[in-house]
Amino acid sequence: MKANYHTHTWRCMHAVGTEREYVESAIEGGLKVLGFSDHTPCPYPKEYVSGMRMRTDQLEDYVDTVLALKEEYRQDIEIHLGLEVEYYTDYFAGLRRMVSDYPVEYFLLGQHCIGCEIGGEWSGCPTDDPKALQDYCAQTSEAMETGYFTYFAHPDLIRFTGDERIYQEEMRRLCRKAKSLQIPLEINLLGIYEERHYPDERFWKIAGEEGCKVLFGTDAHNPEALNCPRVLQAAENIVRRHGLQVQETVEFRAPL
């Protein structure tokens, strides 16, 4: 594994360790490229406080910290500045305006909620409702069509337990959309690391059949996740089982 673009920081309130510890672990693990992509702040109404993302007043410190490490470690590893972003239509334009003063290089699409974080459903909750699956696929397809997202993180986060025929139809359509837009799909190593319901073999079988490009993302919430050969081996086994086309690095799509 040469590059990881999916790295969090303590600001999201569910990651641990300092940014320097992540960089050192990445170097020790042999990575040549490290992208920080913490959960973006979002211009929600003041009365709503998110429990899963950095605050808007932490964005400048996040940027300054990553850029300082980028300079300090320039001889050792290539560091990039990104954000993991949900596509919430009511807030997306405002979010882009909010970060436009900063040199953010890329957005990762990580759709953690269907609809919106405020009043919406967590994408990873088990559901047999076809509408939940259809809404997830429609929302993420629309996100990819904006052209602002470099790749789609954990696209198989949706935990559909209903009619398998519907799952196959919707996810095949989603994979074809990603392929047509040349957007890579991420095999999420955190899901393996924590034994979550994803990576979902059903999804990756479809992705392989559709010829989608994929890449590995550690989704690191602790420094050790950037140097875990066991997890990487499991991800490589998924690639072999389904004949997936892996790419080591990505070209950033301008998010602003």
Side-chain angles (χ1 to χ4, degrees):
M1 185 172 176
K2 177 181 179 181
N4 173 64
Y5 301 97
H6 197 167
T7 312
H8 293 281
T9 79
W10 56 270
R11 295 171 190 79
C12 70
M13 296 179 280
H14 58 279
V16 297
T18 66
E19 293 86 351
R20 183 179 301 278
E21 288 173 325
Y22 284 88
V23 173
E24 295 283 356
S25 182
I27 294 169
E28 182 180 344
L31 287 174
K32 304 302 181 185
V33 180
L34 178 66
F36 281 93
S37 53
D38 206 3
H39 293 284
T40 185
C42 196
Y44 292 138
K46 290 183 178 180
E47 62 270 17
Y48 181 82
V49 178
S50 175
M52 58 160 285
R53 63 185 68 255
M54 75 173 86
R55 304 188 309 267
T56 56
D57 63 359
Q58 292 177 312
L59 179 58
E60 185 169 353
D61 178 65
Y62 169 69
V63 171
D64 289 346
T65 301
V66 172
L67 294 183
L69 290 169
K70 177 185 179 77
E71 174 63 20
E72 180 180 348
Y73 285 88
R74 66 187 183 280
Q75 300 298 327
D76 305 299
I77 191 168
E78 183 181 317
I79 295 177
H80 294 284
L81 175 66
L83 290 166
E84 184 176 9
V85 176
E86 290 85 4
Y87 183 67
Y88 300 149
T89 55
D90 289 346
Y91 299 101
F92 189 64
L95 186 155
R96 291 182 62 244
R97 285 194 298 271
M98 182 178 65
V99 304
S100 63
D101 290 335
Y102 301 97
V104 175
E105 297 174 84
Y106 66 97
F107 284 172
L108 301 185
L109 173 61
Q111 197 67 34
H112 298 93
C113 292
I114 303 169
C116 181
E117 180 180 350
I118 303 175
E121 293 293 328
W122 180 251
S123 300
C125 289
T127 179
D128 60 2
D129 183 0
K131 187 176 186 304
L133 176 64
Q134 291 160 353
D135 287 350
Y136 175 86
C137 291
Q139 192 167 356
T140 53
S141 292
E142 184 177 337
M144 289 189 285
E145 288 171 347
T146 67
Y148 296 128
F149 292 96
T150 289
Y151 80 65
F152 191 170
H154 43 61
D156 48 342
L157 175 61
I158 182 75
R159 193 173 185 178
F160 186 68
T161 60
D163 189 325
E164 184 63 21
R165 178 185 57 82
I166 296 174
Y167 182 87
Q168 293 288 324
E169 289 177 353
E170 291 297 325
M171 288 309 210
R172 193 170 298 278
R173 187 177 297 115
L174 186 67
C175 285
R176 287 174 177 170
K177 175 65 69 174
K179 182 182 179 182
S180 70
L181 295 171
Q182 299 183 325
I183 294 179
L185 305 173
E186 177 200 78
I187 297 178
N188 187 270
L189 274 61
L190 178 64
I192 300 171
Y193 187 81
E194 296 191 347
E195 298 182 348
R196 297 183 176 184
H197 65 277
Y198 59 92
D200 189 322
E201 295 281 351
R202 299 177 298 170
F203 179 87
W204 296 109
K205 182 176 185 296
I206 295 168
E209 292 169 349
E210 294 299 329
C212 294
K213 294 290 181 67
V214 306
L215 78 168
F216 299 136
T218 65
D219 198 356
H221 285 72
N222 65 69
E224 293 76 19
L226 291 163
N227 184 13
C228 191
R230 172 189 62 83
V231 172
L232 181 58
Q233 181 62 56
E236 290 171 343
N237 289 340
I238 293 172
V239 167
R240 282 191 288 271
R241 279 196 295 274
H242 302 300
L244 293 161
Q245 304 176 44
V246 180
Q247 59 184 69
E248 290 271 16
T249 60
V250 295
E251 292 186 11
F252 296 140
R253 296 174 184 242
L256 303 173

